[in-house]
Amino acid sequence: MNTELPKSFRRLDYLPPHYTFGQVELDFALDPARTIVKSRIEVIPGASFKAGTPLVLQGQELEFVSLRINGEAHRHFELTPESLSIHSLPNEGKDPFVVEIICICAPEKNTTLMGLYVSNGNFFTQCEAEGFRKITYFLDRPDVMARYRVTLTAREAECPVLLSNGNLLAIEKLPNGWHSATWEDPFPKPSYLFALVAGKLECIEETISSGSGAKKLLQIWVEPHDLKKTRHAMDSLIASIHWDEKRFGLELDLERFMIVAVGDFNMGAMENKGLNIFNTKFVLAQPETATDADFANIESVVAHEYFHNWTGNRVTCQDWFQLSLKEGLTVFRDQEFSADQMGSESGRAVKRIEDVRLLRQLQFPEDAGPMAHPIRPDEYQEINNFYTVTVYEKGSEVVRMYQTLLGKEGFRKGMDLYFKRHDGQAVTCDDFLMAMADANACDLTQFKNWYSQAGTPRVKVEERYDAAAKQYHLTLIQSCAPSLGQAVKKSFHIPLKMRLLTTANDQPEKLLELIEEKQSWTFENISERPVLSINRDFSAPIHLDFKQSETDLLTQFSSDDDAFNRWEAGQKLAMQMILENRLPDAQFIGAYRNLLQDQTLDPAFKDLALTLPAETYLYEQCESVDPQQIYSARRAFRHAIASELNPEWMQLYRQMQTPGAFSPDAISAGKRALKNLSLSMLLEADIPEAALMAEAQYQNANNMTDRYAALGALVVHGAPQAKVCLDDFYQRFSDEALVIDKWFALQSTRPPIANVEATLNTVERLREHEAFKMNNPNRVRSVIHAFCMNNPSGFHQKDGSGYAFWADSVLALDPINPQVAARLARALDRWRVFAQPYQNQMRAALERVAACSSLSADVREVISKALGS
Ligand code: B3K
Ligand code: ZN
């Protein structure tokens, strides 16, 4: 066991920098084995400068070559594996001075995909959060904002394309087949937004006019064979640009905006100024290779990264504890954008339901587990572990609550003031809150608790109807379970949209603000016992503790005018029944039937209403989780819906066809979703012809959504046709990396089925497959993460074999790519809530990983927090 205490960083230790940077000039001689990086930096005393303070630059895995100050060789420095400290500065550092450094890095050896690396022969960078220090020695912190001029030099035959942030100043031919390009970014930025790309790439481009009439060049760069898959990303980018002008008055500020796709990438995408770098998964789409979900994800990720240009880049974070300042806000913006793209009110509700499902499946468990942290954390060991669903998704819910409390116009006023005050600065979450408060002349002091307290608040509902007085009394009581370092929680400011549902339909929607621990409201002139519809549209990210009769839930499920709560009532009913190991009764089946036959409802809404709560969300409702029991109860429930509604599924399967050319629009996608749910239900119900229908759909599909859904239905239900179709799928798409990822993921997430080999055996075989690559994050995620995180019933085996596989995989991945390994390490976070023997088996696997002495800081933090050590 490594006895060295891990280093922790604390929010309250923040100090402004001793020095800051003016102009930065970077010169790269690109070579996969040895890239020479020359920097010339104007250094200026910073806010906490004291005469004589050394200049301490961060640097990692670099070969130092030389240092000059004001043009002279400088010998007074000290090198460690993490830093370059420069002493004896001219005039004790009181006047600006120029530092010139030459160093060397090795991009082709860089498997961490942080800093400068090579993917399929091309050069890419990833600098957020602290990757720039792997490129050169620097003040690698977000509150040091500088102007960059970058020259890239490379052999033209190997790197015909040379890109960096900002505007292109010059291209030059050089002797011996070399060439160079010089780029300048007019906006000061922190080092984490730096990017370069070089290699054999091609682009599609468009010129558009922005709101003020300025011409903007938009480009999407990909490997040549992928050019035909870039149209959707370009359309999404154009739509995002127009939306941000219209909704927030924010214009694109550069002459040119580029997106580049790369196949080896740790996450989804990165918002580098003017040069966004994307995982291919979130750029490339054509109907034959991408599903409706892929099309929708591309639209939202393109929008997200584009929106960062203002929320993140023009106004950035003072320090990494403030990450949610840019991420929560930008997720909120992309969610609003996607909702607007849905084109209808019910479409908006579908988007809202999808976002809330994700929050509850992933963020609620995080908020109740060993990695729980407030959206603005107070402490971290490795910042890369804090790009979490809490910072992003809960962060977005917190931003949404401002809008709920202040109204759309009030929120816009707050945004306007935020940019007026802070454009060009690195700021904090408090600054954002103050802009919202000041622009609306309101006191948001208590709202700050959302930033400082971890855990999902619980709101208990008590209601009483007084028929004689025609009064309805409502009491709400809030609480929040203790979390590490926070035994007692202060009350949150919780906005709750509510409406009393009555047969007369005479009660308006209201916004209640729960501020105290306990608050009561009385509603007058209520002539019958109402059904309470509360937390409508999921106005606050809370657990609602509301004991409702099944009759009331059925009423809501069939008639609540808030589409979110209508869906929610169905989920609650199903959840209660599954947890009590019950099957849906005749009334519930009847309600499902009515819903499926209701012509006024969107197919996408029906699909969501008939999709059961995820196993991981069900786990969160249990004191002691028996994963196999939950799996069986949920499966039996699903089987009952499938069988009881058999004729409806058959009818929907026919009605929801989308003949003609493929279009990824929300209406068509919703029809396909419901059709494919129907197909899966027909297989679930063991209808003899269902497997043949799936096989025919697989063979005849003109798009990936239908082909993949049919294949999935065959595989998940263990149909005899599954093998032939899987083989065919592999052959058909063997040149399409993203489709082969789907082929792997489908097999890794298959639940256990009788007469089919255990999923773990399949996964072990897949790991040996010739197309499996441990260095490629997408491939690793489609096999290992998919099995350990998206296949609960396959993973949680009584003999602990799933956990042993997990431990082996974490240990094998960590030396290659700590970020990808640390993500996988999180799969056992909730081990303490599991029943035996699972719990002990998980602890043993965690301890085995903990015993490795060479763990990265990333994995070490996750494992030690899980074990509570
Ligand atoms: N800001 C990046 C995430 C960087 C993650 C670094 N480990 C993508 C995004 O949120 O838009
Ligand atoms: Zn982001």
Side-chain angles (χ1 to χ4, degrees):
M1 175 79 111
N2 190 345
T3 49
E4 211 178 291
L5 269 186
K7 200 163 48 175
S8 261
F9 297 90
R10 285 174 209 287
R11 182 171 65 87
L12 295 177
D13 290 345
Y14 174 80
L15 275 182
H18 296 298
Y19 293 95
T20 186
F21 292 166
Q23 179 74 22
V24 169
E25 277 165 37
L26 298 172
D27 192 317
F28 290 83
L30 292 165
D31 176 333
R34 286 171 67 77
T35 288
I36 304 170
V37 186
K38 296 183 187 166
S39 64
R40 183 186 181 282
I41 309 168
E42 282 173 16
V43 185
I44 307 160
S48 64
F49 172 75
K50 277 197 219 70
T53 318
L55 171 64
V56 182
L57 305 178
Q58 289 82 40
Q60 269 173 15
E61 290 156 54
L62 296 172
E63 185 184 323
F64 174 84
V65 178
S66 69
L67 166 69
R68 295 168 86 83
I69 293 194
N70 289 342
E72 305 281 332
H74 193 83
R75 289 179 298 109
H76 306 281
F77 64 86
E78 198 185 322
L79 270 174
T80 74
E82 307 265 297
S83 66
L84 167 64
S85 303
I86 310 177
H87 304 271
S88 307
L89 296 166
N91 196 19
E92 299 187 295
K94 284 186 247 172
D95 303 324
F97 58 95
V98 173
V99 170
E100 288 169 90
I101 298 168
I102 301 180
C103 65
I104 292 171
C105 59
E108 74 183 1
K109 289 215 194 88
N110 183 358
T111 60
T112 66
L113 311 185
M114 286 297 282
L116 177 63
Y117 64 93
V118 173
S119 168
N120 207 16
N122 299 324
F123 293 89
F124 299 89
T125 53
Q126 170 57 36
C127 295
E128 187 177 359
E130 297 179 335
F132 194 77
R133 61 190 63 186
K134 296 178 72 170
I135 296 175
T136 185
Y137 296 93
F138 211 75
L139 284 176
D140 192 12
R141 47 187 286 170
D143 56 354
V144 171
M145 297 172 85
R147 281 199 176 73
Y148 289 63
R149 178 192 283 240
V150 178
T151 300
L152 307 175
T153 309
R155 268 181 226 287
E156 193 168 5
E158 281 145 33
C159 288
V161 172
L162 302 170
L163 311 175
S164 191
N165 316 86
N167 303 318
L168 181 60
L169 291 189
I171 299 183
E172 216 182 319
K173 291 252 181 220
L174 301 170
N176 305 321
W178 287 68
H179 72 153
S180 73
T182 301
W183 293 82
E184 187 173 60
D185 183 351
F187 295 96
K189 64 168 176 289
S191 52
Y192 84 86
L193 291 174
F194 166 82
L196 77 77
V197 170
K200 294 193 183 94
L201 299 167
E202 288 179 13
C203 75
I204 62 159
E205 59 180 40
E206 274 208 26
T207 304
I208 61 159
S209 294
S210 67
S212 65
K215 293 267 177 277
K216 310 282 176 187
L217 176 63
L218 311 178
Q219 296 181 321
I220 300 192
W221 292 90
V222 295
E223 289 184 14
H225 59 99
D226 285 328
L227 266 183
K228 56 186 182 293
K229 298 178 198 149
T230 51
R231 190 64 243 168
H232 180 66
M234 179 62 94
D235 291 342
S236 304
L237 176 59
I238 295 171
S240 310
I241 294 173
H242 293 321
W243 186 89
D244 217 12
E245 286 177 358
K246 195 159 160 242
R247 175 75 178 265
F248 289 110
L250 299 171
E251 237 185 284
L252 174 56
D253 54 11
L254 288 164
E255 291 161 25
R256 140 186 340 228
F257 189 87
M258 298 172 277
I259 289 179
V260 187
V262 56
D264 295 289
F265 205 62
N266 282 345
M267 62 264 174
M270 178 64 212
E271 69 264 25
N272 317 298
K273 184 80 188 184
L275 180 57
N276 287 187
I277 299 184
F278 272 60
N279 189 323
T280 44
K281 186 173 160 61
F282 296 110
V283 176
L284 305 179
Q286 54 185 162
E288 300 74 36
T289 54
T291 61
D292 288 322
D294 295 326
F295 276 90
N297 288 337
I298 289 168
E299 184 180 79
S300 83
V301 178
V302 166
H304 180 99
E305 305 312 328
Y306 174 72
F307 296 156
H308 267 314
N309 190 49
W310 280 92
T311 50
N313 301 5
R314 286 286 288 253
V315 183
T316 194
C317 301
Q318 171 195 273
D319 55 68
W320 292 120
F321 298 100
Q322 317 297 330
L323 185 57
S324 201
L325 171 75
K326 74 177 177 79
E327 295 305 347
L329 176 54
T330 306
V331 172
F332 170 72
R333 276 151 54 67
D334 85 53
Q335 288 179 349
E336 287 287 278
F337 164 76
S338 296
D340 284 349
Q341 299 304 104
M342 303 290 278
S344 68
E345 265 314 301
S346 56
R348 290 189 77 86
V350 164
K351 169 69 181 150
R352 184 73 188 126
I353 292 166
E354 287 169 351
D355 292 339
V356 174
R357 280 187 70 193
L358 184 86
L359 183 84
R360 293 209 287 218
Q361 261 171 57
L362 302 176
Q363 197 278 326
F364 279 23
E366 178 166 275
D367 231 349
M371 280 287 288
H373 51 278
I375 62 167
R376 183 193 57 205
D378 284 317
E379 179 265 359
Y380 62 75
Q381 291 170 23
E382 174 50 65
I383 184 56
N384 287 322
N385 286 331
F386 284 80
Y387 286 76
T388 57
V389 275
T390 297
V391 165
Y392 277 65
E393 264 66 32
K394 186 176 179 181
S396 162
E397 294 301 321
V398 170
V399 174
R400 184 177 296 277
M401 286 190 286
Y402 286 106
Q403 183 172 271
T404 305
L405 287 166
L406 306 172
K408 229 169 156 175
E409 275 178 28
F411 184 77
R412 170 68 195 264
K413 278 199 225 157
M415 289 286 279
D416 289 350
L417 185 59
Y418 174 65
F419 292 116
K420 191 166 164 227
R421 282 185 180 167
H422 300 299
D423 187 12
Q425 298 176 4
V427 303
T428 65
C429 297
D430 284 337
D431 293 320
F432 185 78
L433 180 134
M434 283 320 294
M436 286 290 155
D438 293 348
N440 290 281
C442 66
D443 180 3
L444 290 173
T445 312
Q446 198 187 339
F447 195 80
K448 288 186 181 170
N449 295 341
W450 285 108
Y451 287 92
S452 56
Q453 300 187 136
T456 309
R458 188 167 285 277
V459 174
K460 188 165 192 285
V461 179
E462 290 174 358
E463 55 174 355
R464 188 169 58 84
Y465 177 61
D466 182 341
K470 294 193 172 174
Q471 283 177 333
Y472 174 80
H473 301 278
L474 175 66
T475 299
L476 301 177
I477 306 154
Q478 62 164 306
S479 61
C480 184
S483 44
L484 201 67
Q486 292 180 324
V488 181
K489 304 277 170 81
K490 296 189 204 132
S491 290
F492 292 90
H493 184 167
I494 305 177
L496 291 159
K497 283 193 205 163
M498 59 81 67
R499 185 174 180 216
L500 297 178
L501 307 180
T502 56
T503 36
N505 197 19
D506 56 357
Q507 297 300 310
E509 182 175 274
K510 292 196 166 136
L511 180 68
L512 305 183
E513 295 187 33
L514 176 58
I515 293 171
E516 312 294 331
E517 193 179 321
K518 181 171 178 177
Q519 255 170 276
S520 298
W521 290 263
T522 297
F523 298 81
E524 307 285 348
N525 292 323
I526 311 295
S527 47
E528 59 179 291
R529 186 187 71 82
V531 171
L532 172 65
S533 171
I534 191 161
N535 205 20
R536 285 156 73 89
D537 203 33
F538 203 69
S539 58
I542 55 157
H543 288 291
L544 199 62
D545 188 353
F546 183 18
K547 302 222 167 7
Q548 280 175 292
S549 69
E550 292 191 355
T551 319
D552 282 0
L553 284 170
L554 279 169
T555 305
Q556 274 191 279
F557 187 51
S558 37
S559 60
D560 197 320
D561 63 313
D562 181 71
F564 177 84
N565 263 5
R566 187 167 180 187
W567 170 81
E568 177 78 328
Q571 295 291 297
K572 200 167 160 185
L573 269 171
M575 188 168 81
Q576 286 174 6
M577 292 184 184
I578 294 170
L579 292 174
E580 289 165 17
N581 215 357
R582 285 157 59 197
L583 294 178
D585 55 22
Q587 272 186 313
F588 198 10
I589 292 290
Y592 276 136
R593 180 174 292 116
N594 290 341
L595 186 129
L596 285 178
Q597 289 172 342
D598 187 337
Q599 300 297 325
T600 64
L601 290 173
D602 263 8
F605 179 81
K606 295 182 186 178
D607 171 57
L608 288 170
L610 271 290
T611 300
L612 298 176
E615 277 156 89
T616 53
Y617 183 55
L618 294 171
Y619 292 176
E620 293 302 312
Q621 322 302 318
C622 305
E623 297 270 301
S624 168
V625 177
D626 179 340
Q628 294 302 331
Q629 201 279 325
I630 287 189
Y631 170 71
S632 313
R634 185 179 182 278
R635 187 81 194 244
F637 193 92
R638 190 171 193 271
H639 189 79
I641 302 178
S643 313
E644 300 279 346
L645 296 169
N646 198 341
E648 283 75 16
W649 296 125
M650 195 56 97
Q651 194 188 20
L652 281 169
Y653 185 75
R654 298 207 181 93
Q655 283 172 352
M656 293 295 128
Q657 298 291 329
T658 49
F662 175 88
S663 155
D665 68 88
I667 303 290
S668 314
K671 284 189 178 170
R672 277 188 289 273
L674 186 56
K675 174 189 70 187
N676 289 324
L677 175 70
S678 306
L679 181 63
S680 166
M681 286 294 190
L682 291 168
L683 274 125
E684 177 72 53
D686 306 315
I687 305 301
E689 66 265 40
L692 293 173
M693 289 162 63
E695 188 188 16
Q697 177 173 318
Y698 172 83
Q699 293 295 353
N700 302 330
N702 72 348
N703 65 79
M704 181 52 76
T705 306
D706 286 340
R707 178 163 278 139
Y708 193 57
L711 182 63
L714 291 167
V715 170
V716 165
H717 295 97
Q721 296 87 337
K723 176 152 185 2
V724 179
C725 292
L726 269 174
D727 291 347
D728 174 84
F729 192 83
Y730 186 80
Q731 294 308 328
R732 222 184 252 257
F733 297 107
S734 56
D735 293 335
E736 301 281 355
L738 295 171
V739 184
I740 297 302
D741 289 338
K742 293 184 195 300
W743 180 83
F744 276 106
L746 186 54
Q747 298 173 78
S748 308
T749 52
R750 172 174 60 71
I753 357 171
N755 305 325
V756 178
E757 73 168 351
T759 313
L760 179 57
N761 295 347
T762 309
V763 173
E764 277 167 345
R765 246 186 325 100
L766 293 175
R767 209 176 38 177
E768 302 306 315
H769 193 278
E770 57 174 8
F772 181 77
K773 298 178 201 136
M774 204 64 162
N775 280 1
N776 177 252
N778 284 358
R779 197 53 52 86
V780 168
R781 284 188 283 254
S782 69
V783 177
I784 301 177
H785 295 57
F787 175 65
C788 299
M789 303 177 106
N790 301 334
N791 187 352
S793 56
F795 180 59
H796 295 290
Q797 293 297 320
K798 279 201 165 114
D799 63 2
S801 51
Y803 313 140
F805 171 85
W806 166 85
D808 292 341
S809 305
V810 171
L811 292 170
L813 268 171
D814 196 27
I816 300 171
N817 188 327
Q819 269 181 54
V820 175
R823 184 74 200 92
L824 178 65
R826 302 271 326 258
L828 262 52
D829 266 11
R830 295 294 277 143
W831 67 278
R832 284 178 203 273
V833 300
F834 281 79
Q836 298 297 8
Y838 305 98
Q839 193 185 110
N840 280 350
Q841 304 271 21
M842 284 193 219
R843 182 209 289 260
L846 281 160
E847 283 169 348
R848 179 150 74 84
V849 175
C852 171
S853 59
S854 57
L855 291 182
S856 64
D858 308 54
V859 170
R860 168 78 52 210
E861 175 170 33
V862 171
I863 300 290
S864 61
K865 286 188 172 161
L867 285 169
S869 52

